[in-house]
Amino acid sequence: MLRLLAPRLSRRNTLALVGSSLPVSDRFLNPVDRQSEVNPQPAGLPSSTLARDTRYEPGLTSHQQATGGLHPVHLPTSGASALENPSGALLARHKSGIVLGEGSRDAYFEHPSIALNGNPAESYLERPSSEVVDFENTQTAYVGRPASDLMLGLAVFKMCSFRSFVDNADVVLATMNRCFGNDLVTWAVRQTFFTHFCGGIEQASQLDSVFDRLHRAGIGTILFYSAELESTSHMTKQEAEKLFLENAQELIGSIHAASKAPGARFAAIKLTAMTDHNLLTKLTEAFINKGRNLKELEATVDAIRSGEPGDGHLNLEDVEQLDALYTKVQEIGRTASELGVKVFIDAEQTWIQPGIDYVALKAQRQFNTSGVVFMNTYQCYLKNSHGWLNDDLETARSNNFIFGGKLVRGAYIQAEKKRADKMGLESPIHNEKLHTDENYDRCVENILESMASGTSAEMVVASHNCTSVEKAVGKMSALGLGSNAPVYFAQLYGMADFLTYSLGRKGYKAMKLLSYGPIQKVLPFLIRRAQENSSVLGGVGTDINFMKRELFRRATGISFVQQR
């Protein structure tokens, strides 16, 4: 197994523990993170090695050494260069990148532990700090996670690398259902993708353990009941509305569940769970026709409701459906406001997104008065997202409500490209990933600068891109926005733990978006996650690399970091 994770190991030299009077078994607070008393030393060190796990701190007590102390390992000193440690003593750095001890051949490694003060019951959270956040510490990234979780993650991400399988996942699943039966296929999905990306949670009653584990790591939870509908065309109007009402009650139930989480409380909803796609398509056309002007479209809707003819996009039946949708949104808003939960309105495909924006802006104007209740989502892989974001910031200012925005890159790449090709349209998505990255960072900066200049706003930086997160943290510091500013950092459950846990440990508002619900209803979400990971496998490669490094660290006690 180790050969898969690191270079071949040599047992000629061993790792000796410094200054610890505790037995080896007591030095590891994580029951799944064990190490033998004798550790092998790499015979050939890789080009990427330790970064932050190289601090030499003399004068530690034996207990401190046991829970946060140092390990020397004898290494050759050829090619070493001078380096100062925090105490001022001169150290040397081996050509491989490992820090060597003063006047010796010792390289120092911090001892693994998962809690402050050696107490696993205490929070892992450090005090908010102005230090640069270290995203290279795999021990922090996977604290409290058993090796079996990491192995499952590696397997899931490997499956995501098979493009032909992932791009046709719905067809593959239908074929497997016919060949092997729905029960067997559902079991396989539950044991893999559903467990990794949703924690295997189908009911709100199963959430407490996840809430607790994340909270102890300084991480909040964004709860998302994954119910969405592609079409209700096969249903009668009464059947469809009954289903919409049931989904709305499930979403309200998720808000109640989120209210039980310790710390910050968030829930995410999809409007497609509560209304028909056709209405949102028409509403999109009408909102675009009005230049995305909230008040102008409201005036048109009011006129149609009072008996005037439609505007060519909406008619009286559409307005009645819109009223039914907004009634559900209002109930969600009142519940969330009473329980102290913030609600994200999730982004969807471009042909219905402006219609969603219209409802989101109405909801923000009504509920975001003394605090943020609703937050809209902006997909920065869209070419028009920057302009729409600025429009909505101005709408918030002119209508005197608090802006709430979650910035994502986007999760409908395949669907958007297929539709554009089929209709002979220009793709709405940036042609180059670099352009998406630049646009994302520009949108984050716009909101941060607006906040620094006095605009009432809250933002979620929802990104798995380490560079974008680092830029956001740096911009916050440059603008004087501390970690207590209303800026949240969010990643999907099962992905980019090296970002979430590192930010949480430094006192930033770090969040995990956890989807749950009956597995058949969650399947569209799981398929998109697989397709997204397949499309951006370079980013997922970082997760794979970190998981391998953490498994290697647990097996050997040696931490390696790659140079980015």
Side-chain angles (χ1 to χ4, degrees), residues 150-347:
L150 304 187
M151 297 299 292
L152 174 62
L154 287 174
V156 167
F157 288 135
K158 182 63 177 176
M159 284 188 277
C160 291
S161 68
F162 296 108
R163 291 295 298 271
S164 59
F165 168 77
V166 170
D167 289 347
N168 300 285
D170 49 352
V171 176
V172 172
L173 286 173
T175 302
M176 291 175 66
N177 278 329
R178 287 195 300 270
C179 295
F180 303 107
N182 182 69
D183 290 345
L184 181 59
V185 173
T186 299
W187 178 87
V189 173
R190 177 178 284 110
Q191 299 304 313
T192 52
F193 289 91
F194 188 66
T195 294
H196 184 72
F197 291 120
C198 303
I201 296 172
E202 295 193 64
Q203 300 177 6
S205 59
Q206 301 170 299
L207 290 165
D208 288 348
S209 61
V210 179
F211 284 163
D212 182 64
R213 177 166 59 80
L214 292 174
H215 180 65
R216 287 190 294 115
I219 298 169
T221 307
I222 304 168
L223 205 55
F224 175 39
Y225 179 75
S226 297
E228 55 187 295
L229 299 175
E230 291 303 317
S231 175
T232 55
S233 58
H234 62 287
M235 299 181 184
T236 65
K237 182 178 178 181
Q238 291 75 20
E239 289 172 338
E241 184 58 28
K242 181 178 182 237
L243 181 60
F244 297 148
L245 287 170
E246 290 172 354
N247 283 340
Q249 290 306 309
E250 290 284 2
L251 294 173
I252 289 172
S254 74
I255 292 172
H256 280 278
S259 72
K260 298 176 183 177
R265 300 162 178 174
F266 289 83
I269 65 171
K270 277 186 174 294
L271 295 193
T272 49
M274 299 184 291
T275 196
D276 187 74
H277 271 64
N278 190 47
L279 169 66
L280 293 174
T281 300
K282 291 183 176 182
L283 193 59
T284 289
E285 295 169 353
F287 198 35
I288 293 295
N289 186 57
K290 298 295 183 182
R292 296 185 84 257
N293 186 296
L294 178 63
K295 290 183 177 179
E296 285 191 18
L297 183 54
E298 283 182 322
T300 297
V301 170
D302 288 341
I304 295 172
R305 190 184 292 113
S306 64
E308 292 187 18
D311 66 345
H313 301 288
L314 299 172
N315 56 36
L316 182 58
E317 183 179 354
D318 298 326
V319 170
E320 289 173 349
Q321 289 185 5
L322 176 58
D323 290 343
L325 169 62
Y326 195 67
T327 297
K328 300 181 189 75
V329 171
Q330 286 178 309
E331 186 177 356
I332 287 172
R334 283 190 289 268
T335 302
S337 181
E338 291 169 2
L339 297 176
V341 176
K342 300 179 191 293
V343 177
F344 297 134
I345 297 178
D346 208 10

